[in-house]
Amino acid sequence: MKVREMESGRTDRRAVLMTLAATALGSAGTAAAAETGVTEKSIKVGQSAVFTGPAKDFGVDYKAGIALYFDRINKAGGVFDRKLELVSLDDAYEPKKTAENTARLIDEEKVFALIGYVATGNLIAAMPLAEKAGVPMFAPLVGTTSFRTTHNRYLFHVRASYETELRKIVGHLATLGITNIGVIYQNSAFGKSNLETCLQIAQGLKVKVVESVPMEIAATDAKAQVAQLTKAQPGAVVMIVAGKMVEVFLRDYRAAGAASPLYTISVGITDAPGSAQRLNGGIEGLVTANIVPSPQASRMPIVADYRKDRTDAGAKIDSYTMLEGYIAARVFVEGLKRAGRNLTREGFIKAMEDMGTTKFGDFPVQYGPGNHNGSNFVDLEMYTRTGSLRR
């Protein structure tokens, strides 16, 4: 009996020790797998964008598209049972505020990744903070060339570059036999860098930029710019400006009776019906580059999904920028899924780089270890008097 009791005691002690060891290993494994912004029930993602001021439509619409797809995923149970949480902060288009918001998102909100930033200068302000903390920066609404030519392992694009847009526009003009053009550009990092890109493209296509004129972001008058461009007599005018600036320039350009055709990159117009109404139809004839399909093109599966989710959510916003946000969120979620249940930032980066060429409802993107550029989709369309688009 005593022998049996001793053996039983040893067995019990061995069982206790094994249990304690297993518990310790399990805790260590959980700690090793844990990542900032990731819990058993959620994945926290941060955004700093413009939600107030003249350029607010970009941030408001982009966030709406991201949130729409996140909601779709959350209603279906999340990503490996984790719900997506989007923390969005307003930077009012000010790079200094963007940097402050980014520090808050990383240090206080403890986000897993950053998504949906807006504008070149704002991304410039945020990237050093994201890099230092090892936080992925996903799908900024920025197409500036320098972010594409210099590889950054933490930065992933979805939209096509402005270089691709400008090449499409200037190449189209050259095909039409228009070899003298004017450029109106935003007096900011975004405008200046893309003016340089436009000049290089034009030179390569033997198209001469006869005049380039800067315009302030908060400008309410463009008469001087219109006069300067009109005097140069360009065969067409390319607009490297964003948001309300386009309306201001269009208003004064039409009022002056200028006749050269106008072309804008994708960030030119966000609220086309509103712009058409405010300009009394003066948007008619403006040609724009678009980096996503038409939000009305339900024949494309990704647009059909977007339209269904919009209807189900009762969303009031419907724009190219909202669709762009929806697509960006879809690509982001695919990266999360491919990273697996034990989600880490490094695992997410690897999953994105391993994605290769993939189609999301007929919308193609491509990623690799040296390629974080995403899409090359660019189309040209013309606005009607009411703000709708036609090819």
Side-chain angles (χ1 to χ4, degrees):
M1 178 66 71
K2 288 182 180 179
V3 173
R4 289 180 182 175
E5 287 175 352
M6 289 175 63
E7 289 176 346
S8 176
R10 289 170 182 165
T11 302
D12 290 344
R13 283 195 294 275
R14 282 199 298 271
V16 169
L17 289 171
M18 290 176 66
T19 300
L20 289 172
T23 301
L25 287 171
S27 298
T30 301
E35 179 63 274
T36 302
V38 181
T39 71
E40 290 183 0
K41 296 183 178 180
S42 68
I43 302 170
K44 186 184 284 190
V45 185
Q47 178 189 28
S48 177
V50 52
F51 301 124
T52 56
K56 68 178 182 180
D57 288 341
F58 293 109
V60 170
D61 288 19
Y62 205 37
K63 176 188 173 184
I66 294 169
L68 183 66
Y69 192 75
F70 278 12
D71 286 345
R72 172 191 176 122
I73 293 300
N74 287 342
K75 288 175 183 176
V79 180
F80 294 111
D81 300 321
R82 296 183 177 114
K83 299 295 180 70
L84 297 164
E85 179 186 348
L86 179 64
V87 180
S88 296
L89 304 177
D90 181 21
D91 59 32
Y93 217 52
E94 294 291 338
K96 181 180 178 182
K97 184 64 176 175
T98 306
E100 293 171 357
N101 286 350
T102 302
R104 175 181 163 186
L105 290 166
I106 293 172
D107 299 332
E108 298 177 27
E109 295 291 342
K110 305 291 185 183
V111 299
F112 168 77
L114 300 165
I115 192 171
Y117 277 48
V118 175
T120 299
N122 305 74
L123 184 59
I124 289 172
M127 274 313 303
L129 299 172
E131 289 179 80
K132 184 178 179 180
V135 179
M137 171 71 78
F138 200 85
L141 204 158
V142 174
T144 300
T145 305
S146 59
F147 287 115
R148 314 299 179 109
T149 54
T150 302
H151 179 70
N152 185 321
R153 72 184 305 268
Y154 295 104
L155 178 60
F156 287 89
H157 302 279
V158 176
R159 66 163 25 233
S161 67
Y162 294 139
E163 189 273 340
T164 305
E165 294 185 43
L166 288 166
R167 188 168 296 281
K168 183 87 170 182
I169 290 171
V170 179
H172 171 73
L173 293 172
T175 300
L176 295 178
I178 298 175
T179 55
N180 291 328
I181 65 172
V183 178
I184 176 92
Y185 66 94
Q186 186 169 303
N187 191 18
S188 66
F190 151 72
K192 293 173 183 177
S193 61
N194 288 297
L195 170 64
E196 289 302 313
T197 298
C198 185
L199 291 172
Q200 292 171 14
I201 291 170
Q203 183 178 20
L205 294 172
K206 295 182 171 51
V207 173
K208 184 178 181 181
V209 178
V210 295
E211 187 65 88
S212 59
V213 185
M215 184 173 173
E216 299 302 320
I217 295 172
T220 58
D221 184 292
K223 294 184 180 66
Q225 286 87 351
V226 170
Q228 194 172 339
L229 283 168
T230 302
K231 184 178 179 181
Q233 298 183 325
V237 175
V238 177
M239 306 170 71
I240 307 176
V241 296
K244 297 295 182 184
M245 299 173 69
V246 176
E247 288 190 27
V248 172
F249 182 79
L250 271 174
R251 181 197 66 204
D252 292 347
Y253 189 82
R254 302 297 192 206
S260 297
L262 298 173
Y263 289 74
T264 180
I265 57 177
S266 60
V267 295
I269 294 285
T270 52
D271 176 21
S275 294
Q277 186 176 22
R278 288 185 289 270
L279 292 169
N280 296 316
I283 195 173
E284 184 176 17
L286 173 66
V287 177
T288 183
N290 285 320
I291 49 78
V292 294
S294 167
Q296 309 303 320
S298 296
R299 66 186 180 278
M300 293 192 69
I302 197 162
V303 178
D305 289 345
Y306 159 79
R307 299 215 64 79
K308 182 180 184 303
D309 289 344
R310 264 193 78 258
T311 301
D312 291 347
K316 295 181 179 180
I317 298 171
D318 186 16
S319 68
Y320 279 79
T321 306
M322 184 177 181
L323 175 58
E324 181 182 347
Y326 183 88
I327 293 172
R330 185 162 174 175
V331 179
F332 178 74
V333 169
E334 180 65 19
L336 295 178
K337 289 178 178 178
R338 293 186 182 216
R341 184 174 294 277
N342 296 323
L343 179 62
T344 64
R345 289 167 174 165
E346 288 299 317
F348 173 76
I349 291 170
K350 186 177 187 307
M352 287 299 305
E353 291 184 337
D354 288 345
M355 191 175 290
T357 300
T358 306
K359 285 189 176 182
F360 294 85
D362 286 348
F363 186 83
V365 296
Q366 185 177 47
Y367 297 100
N371 174 23
H372 290 187
N373 290 337
S375 169
N376 286 313
F377 178 94
V378 178
D379 200 6
L380 295 181
E381 296 180 286
M382 180 182 289
Y383 285 105
T384 66
R385 185 175 181 81
T386 60
S388 61
L389 282 162
R390 61 183 177 84
R391 292 183 179 178

